[in-house]
Structure formats: structure tokens, C-alpha cells
Amino acid sequence: MLLGAGAILLGGLLNAYRYELNVVGGAIIILSGFFLTGLARPARLMRDHRFQTTIPGGRPGSAYVLGLAFAFGWTSCIGPIPGAILTVSASSVTLTDGMALLAVDSAGLGPFVVAAAFTHGLAAKLEAVRRLGGLHWVAGGVMIAMGFAMITGRLAGFALWLLETFPVLATIG
């Protein structure tokens, strides 16, 4: 959230270049969407570097290494999606609007914290969810559409349409 607050403040300073920033941000979100769907697979980004070691469990150092592995491996939580949210929040009109977006995004990590507490019992259930597949296509498609909306300046119009179609969204935040 602090990173987002800094982005929002910087966005206020760069307001004179709002159109250019929307084009660049939209292009980055579109590329991220293509990467998330698997339509683009840049070889440089698809590399995998690992070191094999045995770390005893039940110790703070082990928890730290597991957290590092999770952070590096979970690109949809630390990569394109927060990048898109930071881009949108940076173009927010006020600091509180952008912080609200980032707070909702941060709250979305709560289920992962709960899942970590019950990892052993959830392993089989998570495998069943993984078999569903296709969710990355939906998320990537939404990102691509959002990127095009940012580039064409239709993102605000889409937000208004959402509020008119689903008035309950106006009560969030």
C-alpha cells in the first residue's frame, strides 16, 4: 500500500502527461495479459533458476525461505495484476481512491494466509482447483480488455457503465 501511495503521489506530479501514461500503462497491461494467458511466452522471462537443498522445517529460517519461494513463484500476485492495479491507482484522482484500490487488492491475499495455516489438508483440494484450468485465460482477457480501455480512454466510461448496471458496486469503499 505504501508503494501505491508513492505511485499515486508521483502520478499527481505527472498529471500533465496523463494521456501518454495511459497509453504506456495500457500497453504494459496488455502485454501482461498476453503473458498471463500464455499467448506470449518470452524466452527470457520463462527461465527457471533453482538450487536444490534440504531445509529442516519448523524453524523461522525455514519459514523465511518458504516465503521467499512463494513470493518468487506466485507471479500473478506479485507481477502483472498488482502492476495493473498500481497503474490504475497511479492515475486515480485522489490519494484515497488509489489507496482504496490497493487496500482491496491487499485484502485479497487473506485467503492465502489462511491456506498457509492449513497447507497439509488443502493440498488435494488445491490440486482439484488447478485441474479446472482456464482461469488464467479469463484473468488475462480481462487485463487485455482493461489495457485497451486505458489506451482508448474508455476506462472511465466502462466504470460508469458498471456502476449503472450494478449499483451495489457504488457501496464498496
Side-chain angles (χ1 to χ4, degrees):
M1 288 178 62
L2 290 175
L3 179 64
I8 294 164
L9 292 174
L10 181 63
L13 295 174
L14 298 175
N15 197 25
Y17 302 101
R18 187 179 191 112
Y19 174 77
E20 292 83 0
L21 288 173
N22 276 337
V23 171
V24 170
I28 291 170
I29 291 171
I30 290 169
L31 290 174
S32 297
F34 280 125
F35 184 71
L36 189 62
T37 60
L39 293 174
R41 296 278 183 187
R44 187 171 187 95
L45 297 177
M46 299 304 293
R47 286 191 249 169
D48 185 15
H49 301 284
R50 299 179 188 200
F51 63 94
Q52 300 295 330
T53 184
T54 304
I55 301 171
R59 297 192 178 124
S62 303
Y64 179 74
V65 172
L66 179 63
L68 284 176
F70 182 78
F72 283 118
W74 198 262
T75 56
S76 63
C77 282
I78 63 169
I81 293 174
I85 292 169
L86 284 171
T87 303
V88 172
S89 65
S91 64
S92 295
V93 176
T94 66
L95 180 65
T96 54
D97 289 345
M99 291 295 289
L101 284 172
L102 294 165
V104 170
D105 177 53
S106 297
L109 296 176
F112 293 105
V113 174
V114 173
F118 304 101
T119 301
H120 183 70
L122 288 176
K125 291 181 174 115
L126 290 175
E127 179 63 26
V129 170
R130 186 189 66 78
R131 284 191 208 128
L132 288 175
L135 296 177
H136 64 282
W137 283 96
V138 174
V142 168
M143 288 182 69
I144 291 168
M146 188 175 120
F148 278 117
M150 281 184 74
I151 289 173
T152 60
R154 302 234 192 292
L155 191 59
F158 178 67
L160 288 174
W161 174 82
L162 278 176
L163 286 173
E164 290 172 356
T165 308
F166 304 103
V168 72
L169 294 176
T171 63
I172 299 173

